[in-house]
C-alpha cells in the first residue's frame, strides 16, 4: 500500500469544511471513552465495557439500520462477574437511538489512533481540491451522502451483522472517487515501502486506482465491521458513489498545474 504525503494541486480557496471535518473527528476521538489510551493497550475491563456501550449507542449497526429498531438488551457500560467469569453487563437501553441518525454519528468515531490518522491523512490531501471544485456547502452534503451510501451499502451486504460500524472511511472513499474523476492527472507524492520508504511522484489515477483495486480485492474475501478490522465493502461503495456524483463536474474543472521538479534525478515526463 502506497502512502500519499502531498499532491501537486493547489486549491484556489481555503478548504474550511475539510479543516472543520478533520478537527471534529479529532475532538470526537479524544472524547471517546478509552481511545486516548489505545496506544499503550492498557485498557481495563471497565474501560472496555464503557467503550462498548458508547459504540453501541452512537455507532451504526447493520441489523438496526435494516430493521429500524434497537435490541432490547444492550451493554450498559458496567463490568460484572457472571457464570462465565468477568464481562460486560447488558440490560435495557436507557436512551433513544435513531438508527438512521447513527450513520452520521458513526462517521466521526474511530477504532484507534492509526484508524483516525490514516483517514485524516487522506482527507487532508484530497479533500481540499474536491471542496474547492464543489464549493463549501455542496462538499459538506457530498461528504455526508457518500458516508450514508457506504454505510447502507455495507449493511445490505451484511444484514445479519450486529457489530458496530464506525469511521469516516466510507465518506473519505467518496472524496477519493471524486478526486479521481476530477483530477486524474494530478501528481501525488507517495511513499512506497520497498525495503525503505521510496518517495515517488505518481499520477492520481495510479495512486487512487491502485487503492480502489486493493479495497475491491479485500472486500471479495469477506467484509467485517468491528473496531479491529476494516469494512472494505463500505470503501468500495463510497468510492463508486463519489465517482458518480462528481462525474457531471468533470467538464469545466481546471486541470492541475504541470509540476516542476525532479523524480530520481530525471524530470518527470509531461505525459505522465
Amino acid at each position: 500500500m502506497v502512502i500519499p504525503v502531498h499532491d501537486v494541486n493547489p486549491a484556489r480557496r481555503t478548504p474550511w469544511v475539510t479543516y472543520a471535518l478533520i478537527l471534529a473527528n479529532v475532538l470526537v476521538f479524544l472524547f471517546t471513552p478509552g481511545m486516548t489510551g489505545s496506544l499503550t493497550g492498557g485498557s481495563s475491563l471497565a474501560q472496555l465495557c464503557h467503550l462498548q456501550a458508547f459504540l453501541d449507542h452512537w455507532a451504526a449497526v447493520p441489523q438496526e439500520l435494516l430493521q429500524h429498531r434497537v435490541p432490547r438488551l444492550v451493554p450498559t457500560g458496567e463490568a460484572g462477574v457472571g457464570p462465565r467469569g468477568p464481562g460486560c453487563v447488558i440490560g435495557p437501553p436507557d436512551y433513544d437511538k435513531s438508527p438512521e441518525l447513527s450513520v452520521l454519528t458513526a462517521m466521526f468515531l474511530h477504532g484507534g489512533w492509526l484508524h483516525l490518522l490514516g483517514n485524516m491523512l487522506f482527507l487532508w490531501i484530497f479533500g481540499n481540491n474536491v471542496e474547492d471544485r464543489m464549493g463549501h456547502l455542496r462538499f459538506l452534503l457530498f461528504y455526508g451522502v457518500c458516508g450514508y451510501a457506504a454505510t447502507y451499502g455495507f449493511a445490505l451486504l451484511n444484514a445479519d451483522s450486529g457489530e458496530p460500524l464506525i469511521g469516516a472511511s466510507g465518506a473519505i472513499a467518496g472524496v477519493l472517487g471524486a478526486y479521481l474523476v476530477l483530477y486524474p492527472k494530478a501528481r501525488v507524492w507517495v511513499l512506497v515501502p520497498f525495503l525503505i520508504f521510496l518517495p515517488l511522484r505518481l499520477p492520481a489515477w495510479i495512486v487512487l486506482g491502485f487503492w480502489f483495486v486493493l479495497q475491491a480485492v479485500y472486500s471479495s474475501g469477506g467484509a467485517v465491521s468491528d473496531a479491529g478490522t476494516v469494512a472494505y465493502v463500505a470503501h468500495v461503495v463510497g468510492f463508486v458513489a463519489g465517482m458518480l456524483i462528481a462525474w457531471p463536474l468533470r467538464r469545466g474543472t481546471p486541470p492541475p498545474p504541470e509540476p516542476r521538479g525532479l523524480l530520481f534525478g530525471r524530470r518527470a515526463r509531461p505525459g505522465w
Side-chain angles (χ1 to χ4, degrees):
M1 181 62 186
V2 298
I3 304 173
V5 293
H6 175 65
D7 68 329
V8 188
N9 192 10
R12 298 167 298 172
R13 47 188 166 184
T14 304
W16 294 115
V17 173
T18 298
Y19 293 163
L21 288 171
I22 293 173
L23 178 61
N25 276 278
V26 172
L27 290 177
V28 171
F29 180 81
L30 293 177
F31 285 97
T32 300
M35 283 302 177
T36 54
S38 59
L39 278 178
T40 63
S43 299
S44 65
L45 176 60
Q47 291 173 320
L48 292 175
C49 291
H50 192 189
L51 174 61
Q52 185 179 357
F54 181 87
L55 294 180
D56 271 75
H57 186 178
W58 298 108
V61 179
Q63 284 182 345
E64 297 175 3
L65 293 176
L66 299 181
Q67 298 174 10
H68 306 287
R69 60 184 177 86
V70 298
R72 291 180 296 175
L73 298 176
V74 298
T76 64
E78 301 293 331
V81 179
R84 298 183 179 180
C88 299
V89 178
I90 61 172
D94 59 356
Y95 52 80
D96 292 324
K97 178 181 180 180
S98 168
E100 293 76 17
L101 186 59
S102 71
V103 178
L104 178 62
T105 56
M107 283 188 234
F108 295 90
L109 302 174
H110 289 84
W113 285 102
L114 289 179
H115 189 198
L116 172 72
L117 295 176
N119 276 343
M120 295 306 102
L121 175 64
F122 277 83
L123 181 57
W124 173 270
I125 294 173
F126 300 106
N128 60 338
N129 295 108
V130 178
E131 179 180 349
D132 189 36
R133 180 65 181 92
M134 293 184 174
H136 303 309
L137 181 58
R138 286 201 298 176
F139 175 72
L140 181 61
L141 293 174
F142 163 82
Y143 184 89
V145 168
C146 289
Y148 267 81
T151 302
Y152 272 97
F154 179 88
L156 288 172
L157 295 174
N158 297 270
D160 296 329
S161 174
E163 297 293 335
L165 180 65
I166 60 174
S169 306
I172 295 172
V175 174
L176 303 186
Y179 193 101
L180 178 61
V181 166
L182 299 173
Y183 305 103
K185 295 182 180 181
R187 305 324 197 268
V188 181
W189 280 103
V190 299
L191 296 177
V192 180
F194 184 75
L195 299 179
I196 61 173
F197 283 99
L198 298 178
L200 291 176
R201 188 173 64 194
L202 302 174
W205 67 267
I206 291 181
V207 177
L208 299 179
F210 179 66
W211 182 90
F212 176 74
V213 169
L214 280 181
Q215 308 310 302
V217 170
Y218 292 155
S219 68
S220 66
V224 285
S225 62
D226 55 74
T229 49
V230 182
Y232 293 108
V233 168
H235 298 178
V236 172
V237 175
F239 192 94
V240 173
M243 290 185 66
L244 294 176
I245 295 173
W247 197 266
L249 299 177
R250 287 186 310 148
R251 290 188 176 183
T253 300
E258 186 68 27
R260 298 182 180 275
L262 299 177
L263 182 61
F264 286 108
R266 295 162 46 180
R267 287 199 172 275
R269 297 180 182 178
W272 263 80

